[in-house]
Amino acid sequence: MTSKRSSSHISQRYDDELAAVKSQLFEMGGIVEKQVNDAIKALLEVDSELAERVVIDDERINDMEVAIDEDCGLILARRQPAARDLRLVLTIIKTTTDLERIGDEARKMAKQAITLAEEGKAPRGYVEIRHIGENVANMLSQALDCFVRQDVELALKVAQDDKTVDLEYASAIREMMTYMMEDPRSISRVMSIMWSLRALERIGDHARNIAEHVIYLVKGDDVRHVGLKQMAKTVHDQ
Amino acid sequence: MTSKRSSSHISQRYDDELAAVKSQLFEMGGIVEKQVNDAIKALLEVDSELAERVVIDDERINDMEVAIDEDCGLILARRQPAARDLRLVLTIIKTTTDLERIGDEARKMAKQAITLAEEGKAPRGYVEIRHIGENVANMLSQALDCFVRQDVELALKVAQDDKTVDLEYASAIREMMTYMMEDPRSISRVMSIMWSLRALERIGDHARNIAEHVIYLVKGDDVRHVGLKQMAKTVHDQ
C-alpha cells in the first residue's frame, strides 16, 4: 500500500514537472508575442521609448530559454520519459530555441525603430510593415495556440500562411528597392524598413517551425522540409 | 558470466550508437562547411553553376538534420543516457539545428550569386565578402574542430571572433549604403551583396552557438547570453 502510494506520488510529481515546464514555455511564448507586437508598434508609431523597452526586455527571454532548457535536461535525466512524454520534452527544447530567435528578431526591429526615430520617418514602407506585421503576429499567436491545444489543423494553417508571408515579403522588398532608386536620399531610412521586413519574415519562419514541432509532437512524424502537401497528408492521416 | 558478457555487449552497442550519431554530425558539419565555402566562391567568381549546386545540395543537409534528430530521439528513448552522455545527445540535437540554419544561409548566398550572375557583377563589395567570408568560414571550421576535440579554449576563441565579425559586418553595411547613395543604378546589385553579408554574419552567429554548445557539453554550464567575460571564466574554471 505504502509503495503504491509512494509510486503514484512520484508519478504525480513527474506530471507536475512536465506541466510546470510546459506552462513556463507558454509564459515565454506570451512574452515573445508581446515583444513582437511592441516592436511593430514602435516602428509604426515612431515610439523610441517603447522600442528601448523591447531591447531591454529581450534579456528576460534569454533567461527563460536557459531556465526551460535546464528544466528539460533535469526531467530527461531524472524521469527518463518515453514515447509522447519524450517527444514533448524534445519539442519544448526546440520551441524555446525558436522563441528565443523570435525575440532576437523583435529586438532587431526595435533597434531599427530607434534608428528611424533619430533619422526621421522613412518615406515609405509602413503599409507593408503593418500588413506583413499583422500576418506574422497572427501566425505566431496561432503557432502558440496550436501548441496549447495540440491542434495540428491549426499548425498546418500556420505553415501555409508562411508561404503567403514569404510572397508578400518578396514583393515588399522589390517595392522598397524601386523606391530607393527613385529617391536615393531616402536609402538609409528605407534600409531600416527593409531590415525590419526581413526580421518579420524570419519571425514567420520560426512560427512555422513551432507549428512543425507541434505536428511532430502529436503525430510522431518529423514534417520539417517535407513540403506543404506531405505535411497536410501527415496531419490528415489517422 | 553470460549476463556480464551480454551487459557489456549492450553497453558496447550503446557506445557504438553514440559514436555513430556523433560521426553523422561531423559528416553533416563537413558538408555544411563545403556549402559555405562554395557559396562564397560562387559569389566571388560569379559562378552560377556552382551556386546552383549549393542550392540543390541543401536538401542533403535537411535530410541529415532529420536523420540525426531521429537517432538522438531513439538513443534517449532506449538508452536513457545520464550526465555527460545526456549532455552529448542534447548538444548534438542543438548543433544540428545550427548546422541546418547555416546550410540555409549558404543557400541564400548562392541564390544571390545566381542573381548577380544574371544581372552582372556588383560594382563593389567583393573585398568585404572575401574578407568576412574568410573569417566566418574559419569560425565555422574551428567550431566544428572544437566539438571534435572538445576544446573549450578554441570554443571561446570562436565566440570572441564573432564579435570581430559583427563589427566588420556593420562597417561593410555602412560602406555599401554609402555606395548605393553615390550610384543609385547599382542599388539592386549592391543589395545582393548586402543580403550575402547578412547571411555571413548569421553564419558567424550559428558558429558561435555551436561553440557555446561545446562549452556546455564539456563544462556543464550554459554560457548562452552570459557575455564573453563570464564565458572565459567558465572555460578557465577547473
Side-chain angles (χ1 to χ4, degrees):
Chain A
M1 181 70 193
T2 315
S3 139
K4 198 177 169 193
R5 196 194 289 159
S6 117
S7 116
S8 95
H9 188 70
I10 286 174
S11 110
Q12 179 58 45
R13 271 190 36 205
Y14 171 39
D15 288 345
D16 290 350
E17 280 175 25
L18 278 180
V21 77
K22 226 161 68 172
S23 99
Q24 266 182 288
L25 179 80
F26 296 150
E27 190 192 334
M28 180 181 180
I31 295 172
V32 168
E33 222 184 321
K34 186 174 182 306
Q35 289 283 90
V36 171
N37 288 322
D38 283 352
I40 295 169
K41 199 170 172 223
L43 263 171
L44 292 175
E45 299 181 2
V46 201
D47 184 341
S48 61
E49 219 170 286
L50 183 59
E52 297 277 8
R53 209 149 59 229
V54 171
V55 173
I56 292 165
D57 284 353
D58 189 43
E59 287 262 329
R60 256 177 88 198
I61 296 172
N62 297 342
D63 292 346
M64 292 192 86
E65 182 194 22
V66 172
I68 293 171
D69 265 10
E70 199 185 339
D71 287 352
C72 285
L74 287 174
I75 291 176
L76 286 174
R78 287 190 200 145
R79 307 296 183 178
Q80 309 178 324
R84 192 171 167 134
D85 284 350
L86 175 58
R87 288 210 303 277
L88 173 62
V89 175
L90 291 176
T91 300
I92 290 173
I93 290 174
K94 298 242 171 207
T95 301
T96 52
T97 304
D98 284 301
L99 286 176
E100 190 270 337
R101 302 265 158 91
I102 293 175
D104 274 354
E105 299 296 338
R107 181 171 43 76
K108 285 180 197 169
M109 271 180 12
K111 285 198 168 172
Q112 299 300 339
I114 293 167
T115 304
L116 284 172
E118 284 162 3
E119 296 188 4
K121 262 188 101 158
R124 291 272 182 106
Y126 291 96
V127 175
E128 289 78 4
I129 294 279
R130 182 186 301 276
H131 177 67
I132 297 177
E134 264 171 21
N135 288 349
V136 166
N138 211 21
M139 278 178 71
L140 174 57
S141 150
Q142 292 184 332
L144 295 167
D145 257 18
C146 79
F147 201 145
V148 174
R149 296 192 260 137
Q150 317 252 313
D151 179 344
V152 288
E153 281 292 344
L154 188 57
L156 178 62
K157 185 185 170 296
V158 171
Q160 287 162 340
D161 288 349
D162 188 39
K163 201 127 203 181
T164 314
V165 164
D166 286 351
L167 293 173
E168 289 171 346
Y169 163 76
S171 138
I173 290 292
R174 276 194 302 274
E175 218 165 309
M176 293 305 110
M177 290 224 287
T178 309
Y179 193 73
M180 286 202 292
M181 289 178 219
E182 286 166 14
D183 181 13
R185 289 162 310 166
S186 69
I187 284 177
S188 154
R189 285 169 296 149
V190 176
M191 275 306 302
S192 285
I193 297 289
M194 299 239 281
W195 295 129
S196 302
L197 287 168
R198 176 69 146 209
L200 286 173
E201 187 263 341
R202 294 297 296 145
I203 293 172
D205 288 345
H206 288 294
R208 179 191 167 130
N209 292 348
I210 294 172
E212 289 172 348
H213 301 328
V214 172
I215 295 175
Y216 164 74
L217 170 61
V218 177
K219 292 286 181 173
D221 284 325
D222 193 329
V223 294
R224 292 173 298 182
H225 319 300
V226 300
L228 287 174
K229 227 169 159 180
Q230 179 58 42
M231 198 186 291
K233 223 175 142 251
T234 302
V235 164
H236 296 133
D237 266 5
Q238 292 311 315
Chain B
M1 182 70 190
T2 316
S3 138
K4 199 177 169 193
R5 198 193 287 159
S6 118
S7 114
S8 95
H9 189 70
I10 286 174
S11 109
Q12 180 57 46
R13 273 191 34 206
Y14 171 39
D15 287 346
D16 290 350
E17 281 175 23
L18 279 180
V21 77
K22 227 162 71 174
S23 100
Q24 268 182 287
L25 179 81
F26 296 150
E27 192 194 334
M28 181 181 180
I31 295 172
V32 168
E33 223 184 319
K34 187 175 182 306
Q35 290 282 89
V36 171
N37 287 321
D38 284 352
I40 295 169
K41 200 170 169 224
L43 263 171
L44 293 175
E45 300 181 3
V46 200
D47 184 341
S48 60
E49 222 169 282
L50 183 59
E52 296 278 7
R53 210 149 58 230
V54 171
V55 173
I56 292 165
D57 284 352
D58 189 43
E59 287 262 330
R60 256 176 88 199
I61 296 173
N62 297 342
D63 292 346
M64 292 192 85
E65 181 194 22
V66 172
I68 294 171
D69 266 11
E70 199 184 339
D71 287 352
C72 286
L74 287 174
I75 291 176
L76 287 174
R78 288 191 199 143
R79 307 297 183 178
Q80 309 178 324
R84 190 168 169 138
D85 283 351
L86 175 59
R87 288 210 302 275
L88 174 61
V89 175
L90 291 175
T91 300
I92 290 174
I93 290 175
K94 298 242 170 207
T95 302
T96 52
T97 303
D98 284 301
L99 286 176
E100 191 269 338
R101 303 265 158 90
I102 293 174
D104 274 354
E105 299 296 339
R107 182 171 42 77
K108 284 180 197 168
M109 270 177 18
K111 286 198 167 175
Q112 298 300 338
I114 293 167
T115 303
L116 285 172
E118 284 163 1
E119 296 187 5
K121 265 189 97 158
R124 293 271 182 104
Y126 291 96
V127 175
E128 289 77 4
I129 293 280
R130 183 185 301 276
H131 177 67
I132 297 178
E134 265 170 20
N135 287 349
V136 166
N138 210 21
M139 279 178 71
L140 175 57
S141 151
Q142 292 183 333
L144 295 167
D145 259 17
C146 78
F147 201 144
V148 174
R149 297 193 258 135
Q150 316 251 315
D151 179 344
V152 289
E153 280 292 344
L154 188 56
L156 179 62
K157 185 185 169 296
V158 171
Q160 286 162 340
D161 287 349
D162 188 41
K163 200 129 203 178
T164 314
V165 164
D166 285 351
L167 292 173
E168 288 170 346
Y169 164 76
S171 137
I173 289 292
R174 276 193 302 274
E175 217 165 310
M176 292 305 110
M177 289 224 287
T178 309
Y179 192 73
M180 286 202 291
M181 288 179 220
E182 284 165 15
D183 180 12
R185 289 161 310 165
S186 69
I187 285 178
S188 153
R189 286 169 294 148
V190 176
M191 276 307 301
S192 285
I193 297 288
M194 300 240 283
W195 295 128
S196 302
L197 288 167
R198 175 69 148 210
L200 286 173
E201 186 263 341
R202 294 297 296 146
I203 293 171
D205 288 345
H206 289 294
R208 179 192 168 131
N209 291 347
I210 294 173
E212 289 173 349
H213 301 327
V214 172
I215 295 175
Y216 164 74
L217 171 61
V218 177
K219 291 288 182 173
D221 284 325
D222 193 331
V223 293
R224 292 173 298 182
H225 319 301
V226 300
L228 287 174
K229 227 169 160 179
Q230 178 59 40
M231 199 186 292
K233 223 176 142 250
T234 302
V235 164
H236 296 134
D237 268 5
Q238 292 311 313

